[in-house]
Amino acid sequence: MAKIKRILLAEDNPNDVELTLAALHECRLSNEVEVVRDGAEALDYIYQRETYAGRGDGLPCVILLDLKMPRVDGLEVLRQIKSDPDLRHIPVVMLTSSREEKDLIMSYDLGVNAFVVKPVDFEQFLKAIRALGMFWAIVNEPPPFKNKT
Amino acid sequence: MLTRSRISWTALLLPLTAAIILVVAICSALYLREADQIEGNMLDREQRRMEIFAGLFAGDINSAVTDLRLLATGDALQAYLFSGQPADLDRATRRALFFSTENSDFDKIRYLDEKGQEIIRINRNGVVVPPDQLQSKANRPFFQKPEELPSGQIFISAFDLNVEHGAIEQPLKPTLRIAMPVFDANGRRRGVYVINELGTNIVERLQKFAPQYQQRLRLLNAQGYWLKGARPEEEWGFMLPGRSGMTLANTNPGLWARIVREPEGQAPEGGGYFTWCRVVPGEIVQGRPVTLVADDPFLVFASEISPAEWASSFARLRQTFVVVAALLLVLATVITWFFQARRRSQRDLDRFFTLTNDLFCIAGFDGYFKRINPAWEKTFGYTREELLAKPFEDFLHPDDLEKTRQEFARQNRGQGVVSFENRYRCKDGSYRWLLWNAHPQVEDQLVYASARDLTERKQIEEQVLKLNAELKQRADLLEVANQELESFSYSVSHDLRAPLRHIHGFVELLQKAPALQGDESSRRQMGIIAKAAKEMGRLIDDLLAFSRTGRAEMHPVQINMREMVDQIILDRALECQGRRVTWEIKPLSTVPGDPNLLRLVWTNLLDNALKYTRRREEAKIEIGEIRDDSGTGVREMVFYVRDNGVGFDLRYAAKLFGVFQRLHRAEDFEGTGIGLANVQRIIHRHGGRVWAEAQIDAGATFYFSLPLTAFQPTELHG
């Protein structure tokens, strides 16, 4: 049964957005991608407030988070999601340029599900995104959610 | 307290000699005095004894004279003289007998008539000689001489040996005859009464006075002949043949001359002592109804103390004094030694007192210095007089005045202090810190103290504090710099990569654009851009890694190198597909190190080995270790990776480990040139060394050493 598996992508850099979408397009997953431009928007989307109030189409099956974003950054979003009992089951993947140890530690401390460093090489990037998308959106069995409408 | 150091004997010698001389002098003086005393006493005694002997002799004579008179003038004899009857003769004889038995000294008692015929004769001890044995003694001097004497005069013969029948009686019988004329009632001479006194008895009686007189007693007559001499062979020289020369006059004329001159006296004689006392027999009885007429002008009673005896009487004294002297000498030596030791220790103490750089002093409870060592003058620049003239309070730093006063008050109560600090002013006005130990002697009202100049130490302490503060500041600055570096690296890692990614990504996308599919040259150019972006990304990664290896914390654990190498090779298995790679892995030990960093090292070296052997048919990579058994114990382990790749030119080996330095062209072998620099940095942080050997086209061996002892990880900044 093909339920709509939404991917939430939080990325502030338009180029990176375009590249990521291009990569997801290759995997035929681009239709189900919701893009938000920073952490605040990401939280708004998840909590269905502000601009996303009443969107009514459930929670994403995976959240792809960039670390460095204006207003609210990736770690903060991660913290909020993972400390909310209703939301903490959502798989979160850090998708970022940095391999700094402290970022890794912080992320895992907060309970991130995966940490992927964006390679410079596009081919590699493609592969990585494909793998991510395939896994989280298709292979992985998402946790059952109470639908918040 | 006496030191136990050796007293030099020379130091001892002088006072000891003085002591010896003193002791000997005193002892000698005392000895001589005592000896004199003894001598004096002895001689006095001898003198007195002689006088006593003389007196006794006189007494004997006196009593004999008395007896004689009694017999000569007694009524028994007078009766016979008157009557001529045998009964009266008998009575007279009995009277004489009585005297004989009463006095054993009387050898013979005789009455000779006017013709010299023995009428009565009683021999010694009451032996009456019968008439038929009576002899005539008319020609004997002891008859002839008294015959002529008037009444009231009594004759004493010379002290000589008895002659019987014309020969000297043997055994020798020294005899003294006392005789007096006999007158009857009408005053007519009727003969002579004679008593022979036995000289031996007299002499023996004298000898019995004291044991020493057995040997000492001497008797001489007026010619100097021995009547009682040192040896019997010397006696009676005037009577016995062959002895005519045996007089004192001959043997010791000087002494004899004195004896002749002086009635009594003493003189040293041949090592001994001669004491004499003359007796004039003729004067024994004087100023009485009778006078004595003697043959001998005088007799000499003497005591001769032999040299041996003389010496021996001092022997005891000498011994005593020798012992005393010895004891005193010992005492003197001991005392001298003690004094020397004392002086020596005193000198030692004095020397230290003067020498030391510490400040010693004795202060009175009154607040003044009483005694200070030279260190005070040297340290503070005042003269001794200046320091002693004022109370020591005057030299104190004003801030320390109160606490010093309190401390001093405690001293006055008898409490010592250890490690008390205060400041004293120098002559030039500066102050110096002193560290005190002090102890009071309450009975003497003094405080004994020692102080050390702390000023240098205080200065050093200040410096240290200052340096520490500076150091802290620097450390803080360093910390700030580090933080900046951290954020820089973070920036680099994050912010630089993004644009690169974009460049690469969009170029790739472009390349896939259908419009450009036929345009080879454009596609080629875009390919170059993509590659350039990738290259830059790699450079950035490598730089970041390099920086991280300098900053990252090291977590030393025991690392099984074999396991680590095996794991890395396993990870490379994919890459090696399609190639013939022979891994020769020797046994590797377990050593301490940071696992992440050392993994980087192995990874780097193994990747290099793989890279540079790519052109070989069969890549042979050998990994092993070399123990450093230099005899001082195994202290480091050397690991190596040897390949049979292209090697490198040893002439450029210095560049091998430089950052971004490469010895091969990029188109031959890719690489940023940072790998080995990383390896070196990591190994250096572990306290080890890296080096390499190679030959062009013959392969290369890369070595690195790791110390086996616990190392001190260092942070290399930059």
Side-chain angles (χ1 to χ4, degrees), chain B residues 674-689:
Chain B
I674 224 179
L676 285 178
N678 245 355
V679 165
Q680 182 180 60
R681 192 175 240 221
I682 292 172
I683 296 299
H684 278 177
R685 279 192 75 188
H686 280 72
R689 310 182 315 276

Side-chain angles (χ1 to χ4, degrees), chain A residues 8-145:
Chain A
L8 178 65
L9 172 64
E11 171 64 61
D12 65 320
N13 190 304
N15 294 336
D16 275 317
V17 170
E18 195 172 333
L19 284 173
T20 310
L21 283 178
L24 283 171
H25 182 74
E26 298 252 334
C27 318
R28 322 231 183 289
L29 293 169
S30 51
N31 298 337
E32 283 86 25
V33 180
E34 184 72 39
V35 179
V36 289
R37 304 309 299 284
D38 62 30
E41 281 188 16
L43 287 169
D44 286 346
Y45 177 88
I46 292 170
Y47 283 111
Q48 299 192 30
R49 55 182 189 221
E50 301 282 325
T51 36
Y52 295 98
R55 65 175 164 82
D57 47 358
L59 294 165
C61 69
V62 67
I63 303 174
L64 300 177
L65 268 183
D66 186 21
L67 262 180
K68 285 218 125 130
M69 294 184 288
R71 291 210 289 174
V72 181
D73 72 3
L75 280 176
E76 187 49 40
V77 175
L78 179 62
R79 182 181 293 119
Q80 290 213 19
I81 292 175
K82 290 298 177 181
S83 53
D84 188 322
D86 294 330
L87 303 172
R88 62 192 166 102
H89 295 299
I90 305 179
V92 177
V93 176
M94 231 44 139
L95 190 62
T96 178
S97 320
S98 158
R99 200 195 273 110
E100 281 298 297
E101 213 174 297
K102 66 173 198 270
D103 293 329
L104 271 160
I105 293 173
M106 271 306 271
S107 309
Y108 274 104
D109 273 347
L110 291 169
V112 77
N113 297 77
F115 195 104
V116 176
V117 177
K118 288 186 261 192
V120 168
D121 184 287
F122 188 64
E123 278 302 318
Q124 302 282 0
F125 183 66
L126 264 184
K127 279 202 211 138
I129 292 299
R130 186 181 306 129
L132 270 176
M134 296 301 285
F135 180 76
W136 290 108
I138 295 168
V139 173
N140 187 45
E141 192 63 41
F145 289 125

